[in-house]
Each structure stands twice: as C-alpha cells, then as structure tokens.
Amino acid sequence: MKKIYFLCTGNSCRSQMAEGYAKKFLPKDEFEIKSAGVETHGLNKMAVKVMGEDGVEISQQTSDLIDLDYFQQADLIVTLCGDALDKCPVIPPETTHIHWNLKDPGKAVGTPEEIHAVFIQVRDEIKEHVKTLRK
C-alpha cells in the first residue's frame, strides 16, 4: 500500500482539503493517506464548509503534527506551501516529493463572501492537483 503525506503549515486548511480529496479519489485498497503540519492550528471551519459544499466530509479529520515514522515511510510527500517546504524534515531520497505552492485561505481578508470565494478557489486548485495523482 502506498503512503501519501500532505503537509502545510498548520494542518488546518490546505492539507486537510488535500487529504479529503485524496481519500475520495484514490482507491482505499491502494493508498494510505494522511495530512499534517509543521504546527497545529486546528481544523478550519471554513475549510470544512467548502469541502462539504463539494460533497467531501472532513469534519472528523484532526490537525496533527508531522509524524516522523509515517514521514520516513511515505512514498509521496506533497508540500502545499513554502512554509512546509522550508520547515519539514529532510525528505528521504527514495521518497517522491511534489510541491504545490498554494495561497493560505486561512489568511484571506474581506467580507464573508470574499473570504468564502478564496476558500473555494484554493479548494478547487487542490481538487485538480489531487486528481493528477490518480495517473
């Protein structure tokens, strides 16, 4: 079984959404999927909301720190922001690494509608990226 690890700063938005989509799109009997952060900021309520709007339930996922054992065993590590790329442990040479430099929707400012739109934009980018992992 292949192990995928999605990493971002606080494991609250981007990596959580990526984990949710990967669990939806990738065969459960072929992939083990987890997400984590270099810090834990708790699961962002707007991330849960926009994922639910697209039919993906992530409310039971948890905001976790990087598990070094899982990190070392991962077949694929996906960093979703520069902070995670800069601060994550050294990626083992045999591990495939992909970097998706995504805007942090948790830092969006503006009206509730504008903030919601940023979350949707980032969610949709993540969805498209995750779909490429099926190939």
Side-chain angles (χ1 to χ4, degrees):
M1 183 169 301
K2 292 185 179 179
K3 295 180 183 220
I4 300 177
Y5 215 5
F6 293 102
L7 304 176
C8 69
T9 304
N11 193 219
S12 66
C13 299
R14 294 165 288 189
S15 54
Q16 294 285 354
M17 290 189 267
E19 178 183 349
Y21 278 128
K23 286 179 175 176
K24 177 178 180 171
F25 295 135
L26 301 176
K28 291 170 183 38
D29 60 336
E30 295 177 32
F31 295 93
E32 181 179 351
I33 298 150
K34 292 187 179 186
S35 68
V38 295
E39 304 165 4
T40 57
H41 296 169
L43 188 57
N44 185 289
K45 290 179 180 158
M46 183 61 76
V48 173
K49 178 179 180 359
V50 299
M51 290 298 286
E53 290 169 357
D54 198 35
V56 180
E57 171 60 48
I58 66 167
S59 67
Q60 299 306 306
Q61 292 176 193
T62 58
S63 180
D64 302 312
L65 287 173
I66 294 172
D67 174 331
L68 290 176
D69 289 333
Y70 192 83
F71 183 89
Q72 294 296 327
Q73 298 168 12
D75 298 287
L76 172 63
I77 292 174
V78 181
T79 49
L80 292 97
C81 65
D83 198 38
L85 180 63
D86 294 341
K87 293 180 181 175
C88 80
V90 174
I91 297 169
E94 66 277 4
T95 302
T96 301
H97 173 241
I98 299 173
H99 179 65
W100 301 335
N101 194 27
L102 301 166
K103 179 188 319 185
D104 184 353
K107 292 184 177 176
V109 294
T111 66
E113 294 78 17
E114 291 167 335
I115 293 169
H116 184 255
V118 171
F119 271 85
I120 297 274
Q121 175 197 358
V122 174
R123 177 202 70 193
D124 291 350
E125 286 180 52
I126 291 169
K127 182 178 184 178
E128 292 309 308
H129 281 303
V130 170
K131 285 181 178 181
T132 69
L133 299 177
R134 291 188 291 184
K135 298 174 183 171

